[in-house]
Amino acid sequence: MTVVLRAAMDQGLLALQRQLRALAPDAALVTDGEQALEHLTPDTRPPRLVGADVIEAGPMRARRVFGDPIVAFAAFLDGTQTSRVLAYVDGVPIVLGTVAAAVRVRRNRRLTTWHRPVVQRKLYGALAALLPAHRRALESLGVPLVDTMTSAGATTHPFVLRDDAVHRIQDDREAAERELAECWCHLEHEPLFIDGSISGSDRVAAAECTVGVVKSHRTLYAEGAALQTIFALRRAERSSVFKVTSPKRMPVASWYLRLRDPVGHDPMWGLVRVEIASPPRIDVGAIGEKADSVSRWILAEAAPLAMPDSRWDKMVYGIRDCEEFLRAVT
Amino acid sequence: MTQPSLLGRVVATERRPNTPHEFHFWTGLDSPVGVGTIVRVEGKYTINGQITRVYGVVVEGFSYSDLQSPLHDVLGHDGSPAAASLASTERAEIRLYTAAVLRQIPDEPLQPVPLGEVYLADDSDVAIALRMDGYLAEGARTGIPIGVYHAGGTDAPIYLDADFLMGPEAAHLNITGVSGLATKTSAIEWILSSIFTHFPAQKGSIAAVCFNVKGPDLCFLDEEGTIDDRDRALYEKCGVPAGPFENVQYYAPYKSDGISLNTLRSNEALLHNVTPLTWGLREVLQYAEVLLNKDDVDAKADALIDFIRERIVDRDFHDDQMLPGKRYRVRSFADLEQWFRDLLVAMEQRGNESWRTHHIATIRKVRNRLSNISTRCAGLVTDDGNVGDLPFGSFQDRTVYVIDVASLEEDAQDLVFARVVTKLREQLEKRELGVKHVIVFVDELNKYAPGDGQDTYVRKMLLDLAERGRYLGLVLFSAQQFRSQVHRRVVGNSGTALYGRMDADELATPGYAVLSPAVKTKLATLEKGQLMVRHPHFTQPIFVRFPRPAILRGRDGAERYPQQQDVSLEAAVLRALRPLDSSITLNWVKDITDMYEREAVLRAKNATLLERPADVKRFFKSQLAPIVPSKPVSRPMVTPIRTAPADDPYGL
């Protein structure tokens, strides 16, 4: 997920604010150039360690990925979101959220857009807390409205309402990514590099052609010695494959892979977690070979660098290209 | 009709905005766009009920990737360039072009170029963009093809407006470029062909006078050369027949021997249209200041020359006081020399210091300088007053008159320029030349009209031609290697300017500051047969390709038609008179001229050529003074000397 630059967003925001001022002059428009909410809303998920079952032969250990990198990914998928407060109406923050997702397909070593990207713009707010006239004014703006009120007795503190809106926008962004990934799985068979987890969609998580690459490590799937093993991974080394399960998500096979030499950096530098479909029947030999193969695909994407993005140590160029494309079209 | 394919999109940012005269657009990496490409922008909005449409020519190009620092690329490939080629993905890359606006429709109000779609200009777009539609309309067509604009799939002929090339609106053409690439001379030959083909009938007749100032450049304009299919296609596109000039007349002075033509076109097979160029006293004296520098001609000398010009030359002159009993009619340098000699002798005998206010020293000085002219310009200026000249008064339409001055001394070249151009101007003013327009082509303008150095008669004459010629129909086509070194008023008055491949040092001079770095780079690397054109109707320079002239190149001609070796006097006379009377033989010439001095024979030959009589043999003989046959002298009777007695030693 990426936050779209403010300048790209302002155009639509200002137009809506002008319309709203005409329809509801008493609405408190936010015109002071406030930051995108993604920067203001902290990630409330606590960092945690979760134990996982190793499904490859032997205990959790570092495994060298032998062989030259292989260029295998045909396309890259990523999504973006941005949220800005349009106005405070009756004390309720009305948030303009834009979500987008795109698949960039690689042909002749150049990336172009596959099918149509998903771009959605909606207004998010606790609609039940608004006066009917103000609600009608918002409805007449021509942008879909999303009610973020979770329950009738929920608190009406604006910050809480604002965070709720951001979470709904995040859900929408994930849904957009999921929609495109499922479409790819339906129409294509070549490997798709997905930025983030694939476990959110049954179809994508079970597909042979999708590979999820997770850059954030708020949740680490190892404890104790296994964690030390992961931290000690050197460039082009991977961990043993383990199974990630969650009550709300599909189980997937996963492993850690070090893309770049971490000497002089923090332990998570250049470290990604890879997800692929969990095989219905675990074959300890075959899953290791598959992990090696997919690791070689991912290592092939280590160049060109995704600079100047600050996450370039973990990000591949195809994902940066997706983000740049979405930045241009949203 | 196929739909034009979209080429790019106009972009503008706060840092790089579009203006009414410039805009930016990006294209695909494989688009057929380059510096000099003409494009059309389709706007999205209407102004005064008309959708805006903008035409531009690409003047600059940029390419960059999403890299923030080159170092990132080095890091990404571990410092190994070879690894870069193995990278799975090419970086995102942009082709961004800057175009200068050629024309906006509607013309008013003049607004910044809108964001819109960019298309490659087709033939009709090129005509509109360059405002050629104004002078290519049926019935009022004054277009002269200058070459073909080529970009992508477009091959569009580019036309100059005859009203702005030959006057009266603007006039003159200047071409510049490095030597040795066969661009300048070839371009002029091509343009003359094009003008002769397309010059509008309503504008009247036209001829060209070309000064061949170096080598055999213009010596074979009537001989067919080889061209390839590509050139032929260009000729066809421009509607110009691929062939040599049909009507060419050559003029060349003699060498100092007075019998051999001083030109590389002296091969006997080509002499049918070569006329000797010889001038006498009358022709030269009018331009004495060309040959006499300011140190020579002070006010006193100038007054005496004026006196001679007005009162002596071609007039009956007598001075009973100073030259009693003598009558003069000075027609040649020889006559003038005789007059000077008699006058000075008379003054010395009488001890006079001055004659008619002219001091004897001034008279001696003028005599010295004027008598010297026929020596300095030997071959061109004759002592005997015979004249071979351009056909002033009977110039022919669509005819090229080439004057070969390549082998002449600098003074003599100046004299030829000065006299020919002045005569052309005088006759065009009086509408007596025979044609309505004359193109004068002068190469090596660096030499004849330099931007610095002392003022010369030739430079003044070229300036006058550049500034006032267009009103008369006298048009200057000039060429040089370094435009920056030519007098500003000469090149500045050239409505049309052509540029071949340029030297980088020349491009660094201030005169080229208006060109973008990309255009300069293109100019420095232009291929043979390519030109950059500036014309009053074109708001920006345009690149065109022109065909190689279907004319025998100078060097090839010199090899195919080697220069004639110096010939004997009799052979020279035969060669000169044979075209007038084919019955003349070498033996006849030898018989007739055997007893005469060389000068007398040449005088007779020149007089015959000048007169072109019906009976050539009789006329030629009549020009030679009759030789009185010798008679045997009867010896008178002489009284024999008496013999002395043998024994008388005293003879008594």
Side-chain angles (χ1 to χ4, degrees):
Chain A
M1 184 270 285
T2 300
V3 178
V4 174
L5 287 176
R6 189 189 142 212
M9 183 72 188
D10 277 355
Q11 197 66 20
L13 183 74
L14 291 173
L16 285 173
Q17 285 179 331
R18 277 196 291 270
Q19 288 183 57
L20 186 60
R21 179 180 290 281
L23 295 166
D26 54 336
L29 302 178
V30 177
T31 57
D32 64 349
E34 203 175 296
Q35 275 192 317
L37 297 181
E38 283 75 10
H39 293 300
L40 300 174
T41 308
D43 192 341
T44 53
R45 294 172 301 167
R48 60 194 178 121
L49 299 175
V50 176
D53 297 333
V54 174
I55 56 174
E56 197 174 358
M60 173 66 79
R61 65 180 177 89
R63 294 168 185 270
R64 179 88 185 147
V65 178
F66 292 101
D68 289 335
I70 298 170
V71 178
F73 287 111
F76 301 83
L77 186 155
D78 194 13
T80 60
Q81 74 176 66
T82 189
S83 320
R84 295 180 64 80
V85 178
L86 179 78
Y88 286 89
V89 181
D90 302 331
V92 174
I94 304 299
V95 177
L96 174 65
T98 303
V99 300
V103 172
R104 298 278 283 171
V105 66
R106 180 160 55 198
R107 293 203 176 92
N108 288 331
R109 301 174 72 208
R110 295 214 175 264
L111 294 165
T112 53
T113 308
W114 180 78
H115 286 203
R116 290 175 66 86
V118 176
V119 180
Q120 296 168 353
R121 184 166 294 180
K122 295 176 183 172
L123 288 174
Y124 298 81
L127 303 182
L130 299 178
L131 294 173
H134 286 151
R135 184 171 177 154
R136 281 195 298 277
L138 287 172
E139 285 170 347
S140 64
L141 290 177
V143 178
L145 285 177
V146 178
D147 190 356
T148 58
M149 187 77 92
T150 49
S151 63
T155 178
T156 53
H157 191 295
F159 285 1
V160 174
L161 295 175
R162 200 178 64 183
D163 291 348
D164 287 346
V166 172
H167 292 144
R168 284 299 298 270
I169 292 166
Q170 192 171 354
D171 291 344
D172 284 352
R173 192 257 304 163
E174 287 175 358
E177 291 176 352
R178 210 161 45 236
E179 178 189 333
L180 269 181
E182 288 176 355
C183 187
W184 175 274
C185 294
H186 178 65
L187 298 172
E188 307 283 348
H189 301 287
E190 291 181 287
L192 173 69
F193 187 116
I194 297 174
D195 186 50
S197 175
I198 60 170
S199 61
S201 160
D202 294 357
R203 178 164 197 163
V204 176
E208 283 292 311
C209 63
T210 54
V211 175
V213 178
V214 182
K215 303 190 295 291
S216 67
H217 298 297
R218 290 191 76 81
T219 302
L220 284 167
Y221 292 90
E223 294 173 307
L227 186 62
Q228 296 309 312
T229 301
I230 290 166
F231 285 167
L233 288 176
R234 292 179 296 178
R235 183 183 175 278
E237 283 185 348
R238 69 170 178 86
S239 68
S240 300
V241 182
F242 51 89
K243 191 167 188 174
V244 174
T245 55
S246 164
K248 295 180 182 175
R249 290 175 172 257
M250 283 285 289
V252 291
S254 183
W255 67 92
Y256 285 95
L257 173 68
R258 184 79 74 180
L259 296 178
R260 304 184 194 282
D261 190 351
V263 175
H265 299 280
D266 70 76
M268 261 88 79
W269 200 84
L271 186 73
V272 295
R273 184 170 62 81
V274 186
E275 288 183 358
I276 60 170
S278 181
R281 285 190 312 166
I282 304 298
D283 178 340
V284 292
I287 194 71
E289 285 176 17
K290 177 75 174 173
D292 282 339
S293 178
V294 171
S295 296
R296 288 165 70 188
W297 299 356
I298 295 170
L299 287 169
E301 303 299 332
L305 295 186
M307 282 180 166
D309 195 292
S310 59
R311 301 160 298 168
W312 67 271
D313 59 313
K314 301 179 187 73
M315 182 187 271
V316 300
Y317 185 78
I319 295 302
R320 173 175 158 72
D321 181 84
C322 284
E323 293 187 355
E324 290 296 308
F325 169 76
L326 293 173
R327 185 171 289 151
V329 298
T330 56
Chain B
M1 183 179 162
T2 55
Q3 193 74 10
S5 59
L6 186 62
L7 189 74
R9 295 188 63 83
V10 176
V11 288
T13 62
E14 192 171 350
R15 284 187 184 176
R16 197 186 284 249
N18 293 332
T19 67
H21 59 84
E22 187 180 85
F23 63 95
H24 314 281
F25 66 95
W26 65 270
T27 69
L29 299 181
D30 56 351
S31 69
V33 176
V35 171
T37 302
I38 299 176
V39 295
R40 184 186 82 233
V41 177
E42 293 286 349
K44 294 185 222 164
Y45 305 104
T46 57
I47 295 175
N48 295 338
Q50 200 171 0
I51 290 182
T52 53
R53 184 174 271 195
V54 180
Y55 299 92
V57 58
V58 174
V59 294
E60 192 57 275
F62 305 91
S63 168
Y64 51 85
S65 71
D66 55 359
L67 268 177
Q68 207 167 42
S69 159
L71 193 59
H72 295 164
D73 210 39
V74 177
L75 293 172
H77 300 108
D78 294 331
S80 167
S85 62
L86 301 174
S88 54
T89 309
E90 298 272 11
R91 281 191 175 279
E93 189 180 346
I94 187 172
R95 293 281 187 275
L96 180 66
Y97 295 97
T98 301
V101 172
L102 290 166
R103 190 174 186 182
Q104 288 209 31
I105 292 175
D107 292 326
E108 292 291 341
L110 190 60
Q111 294 188 341
V113 176
L115 302 184
E117 295 176 336
V118 179
Y119 297 87
L120 202 64
D122 60 21
D123 286 22
S124 60
D125 289 330
V126 171
I128 296 168
L130 301 179
R131 293 176 165 78
M132 297 190 302
D133 50 340
Y135 53 90
L136 293 179
E138 284 303 321
R141 194 180 173 94
T142 54
I144 307 283
I146 184 79
V148 172
Y149 158 81
H150 174 81
T154 305
D155 276 315
I158 302 297
Y159 295 86
L160 304 180
D161 186 352
D163 285 342
F164 285 76
L165 180 64
M166 309 298 303
E169 305 294 346
H172 313 306
L173 177 143
N174 180 264
I175 179 168
T176 192
V178 297
S179 292
L181 282 176
T183 297
K184 297 195 293 287
T185 308
S186 298
I188 290 293
E189 289 168 355
W190 149 248
I191 293 165
L192 285 179
S193 294
S194 181
I195 290 172
F196 280 10
T197 307
H198 289 274
F199 193 65
Q202 70 270 19
K203 286 182 73 71
S205 51
I206 186 164
V209 173
C210 301
F211 292 96
N212 185 54
V213 297
K214 61 178 194 296
D217 273 3
L218 301 172
C219 285
F220 306 98
L221 296 183
D222 52 349
E223 293 293 314
E224 182 135 19
T226 52
I227 57 172
D228 56 23
D229 290 343
R230 190 177 168 193
D231 296 318
R232 217 163 271 119
L234 290 172
Y235 269 107
E236 195 173 330
K237 193 87 185 168
C238 294
V240 177
F245 289 96
E246 289 178 5
N247 302 314
V248 187
Q249 292 296 322
Y250 282 90
Y251 296 86
Y254 286 114
K255 291 180 180 174
S256 56
D257 62 6
I259 54 175
S260 307
L261 286 173
N262 201 356
T263 174
L264 288 172
R265 190 188 167 93
S266 59
N267 190 289
E268 198 156 358
L270 303 176
L271 286 177
H272 59 279
N273 59 354
V274 184
T275 305
L277 187 71
T278 54
W279 292 336
L281 175 66
R282 192 187 322 130
E283 288 72 31
V284 173
L285 203 58
Q286 195 178 350
Y287 307 96
E289 63 179 289
V290 178
L291 300 168
L292 308 178
N293 63 40
K294 283 182 177 169
D295 295 336
D296 291 330
V297 187
D298 53 16
K300 289 178 278 187
D302 197 32
L304 178 57
I305 291 171
D306 278 346
F307 178 82
I308 293 169
R309 193 186 292 143
E310 299 297 325
R311 303 283 298 277
I312 308 291
V313 175
D314 278 340
R315 292 177 188 279
D316 291 326
F317 178 80
H318 60 94
D319 184 340
D320 291 336
Q321 281 190 331
M322 182 63 74
L323 301 164
K326 292 197 173 178
R327 296 193 171 274
Y328 298 90
R329 190 168 180 87
V330 173
R331 286 177 170 156
S332 66
F333 277 97
D335 296 340
L336 185 65
E337 174 59 17
Q338 184 62 49
W339 177 79
F340 268 124
R341 194 183 302 133
D342 291 350
L343 178 63
L344 288 169
V345 167
M347 289 175 76
E348 283 165 4
Q349 284 175 349
R350 295 178 181 214
N352 285 4
E353 283 290 302
S354 64
W355 174 75
R356 297 195 182 190
T357 72
H358 301 294
H359 194 270
I360 190 167
T362 303
I363 295 171
R364 283 203 183 101
K365 180 178 176 181
V366 170
R367 176 200 178 190
N368 175 280
R369 302 295 187 273
L370 291 182
S371 303
N372 196 14
I373 286 176
S374 62
T375 309
R376 284 157 65 194
C377 303
L380 172 67
V381 177
T382 59
D383 270 334
D384 56 18
N386 283 311
V387 174
D389 210 352
L390 273 75
F392 293 111
S394 57
F395 266 50
Q396 298 294 311
D397 191 22
R398 266 76 172 174
T399 300
V400 184
Y401 299 90
V402 181
I403 304 171
D404 193 349
V405 294
S407 306
L408 283 181
E409 294 296 323
E410 203 168 316
D411 282 349
Q413 285 188 350
D414 289 353
L415 177 63
V416 174
F417 283 134
R419 180 166 183 277
V420 170
V421 174
T422 307
K423 285 285 285 183
L424 289 172
R425 193 181 58 194
E426 286 171 2
Q427 296 219 322
L428 280 169
E429 267 179 347
K430 297 175 192 165
R431 300 286 172 211
E432 289 177 350
L433 186 61
V435 292
K436 208 171 169 188
H437 299 84
V438 175
I439 296 166
V440 175
F441 171 53
V442 182
D443 200 353
E444 304 296 342
L445 211 59
N446 290 133
K447 181 178 165 188
Y448 300 111
D452 50 14
Q454 70 176 46
D455 211 8
T456 63
Y457 189 92
V458 172
R459 188 168 78 173
K460 279 193 284 188
M461 180 205 70
L462 287 170
L463 279 171
D464 184 65
L465 173 55
E467 287 170 345
R468 282 175 280 279
R470 67 190 169 104
Y471 300 110
L472 305 171
L474 188 57
V475 180
L476 176 65
F477 280 19
S478 53
Q480 71 285 316
Q481 189 171 353
F482 303 114
R483 184 181 162 95
S484 62
Q485 293 174 16
V486 177
H487 199 289
R488 288 170 60 93
R489 280 157 57 200
V490 175
V491 291
N493 276 296
S494 290
T496 303
L498 308 179
Y499 304 78
R501 187 190 290 186
M502 305 287 290
D503 183 80
D505 289 344
E506 172 72 2
L507 285 168
T509 57
Y512 301 90
V514 293
L515 302 177
S516 72
V519 171
K520 287 184 190 177
T521 303
K522 178 154 183 166
L523 270 179
T525 55
L526 273 187
E527 290 176 28
K528 270 185 184 180
Q530 279 191 305
L531 289 173
M532 188 180 83
V533 183
R534 298 179 78 173
H535 186 62
H537 285 298
F538 308 163
T539 52
Q540 295 292 331
I542 300 300
F543 288 92
V544 300
R545 187 178 290 279
F546 68 93
R548 184 193 311 192
I551 291 168
L552 190 60
R553 290 190 309 166
R555 269 175 297 172
D556 297 341
E559 282 177 19
R560 189 185 298 177
Y561 299 105
Q563 198 175 6
Q564 193 72 268
Q565 298 299 312
D566 289 351
V567 294
S568 64
L569 178 63
E570 293 81 8
V573 172
L574 175 69
R575 191 182 298 161
L577 301 186
R578 193 75 175 266
L580 304 180
D581 184 348
S582 57
S583 68
I584 293 174
T585 62
L586 185 61
N587 286 337
W588 181 85
V589 176
K590 278 182 176 170
D591 290 345
I592 298 295
T593 60
D594 195 32
M595 300 293 291
Y596 290 92
E597 294 290 330
R598 177 187 181 86
E599 284 68 29
V601 175
L602 288 177
R603 202 162 33 240
K605 180 204 76 172
N606 290 341
T608 309
L609 288 176
L610 194 63
E611 186 66 26
R612 295 184 167 265
D615 189 342
V616 177
K617 286 181 179 175
R618 175 178 289 180
F619 185 86
F620 180 72
K621 281 171 73 175
S622 72
Q623 296 302 304
L624 296 167
I627 294 175
V628 180
S630 58
K631 293 178 184 172
V633 178
S634 56
R635 294 173 72 85
M637 292 296 292
V638 179
T639 309
I641 299 171
R642 286 185 303 166
T643 55
D647 56 348
D648 183 4
Y650 301 100
L652 297 174

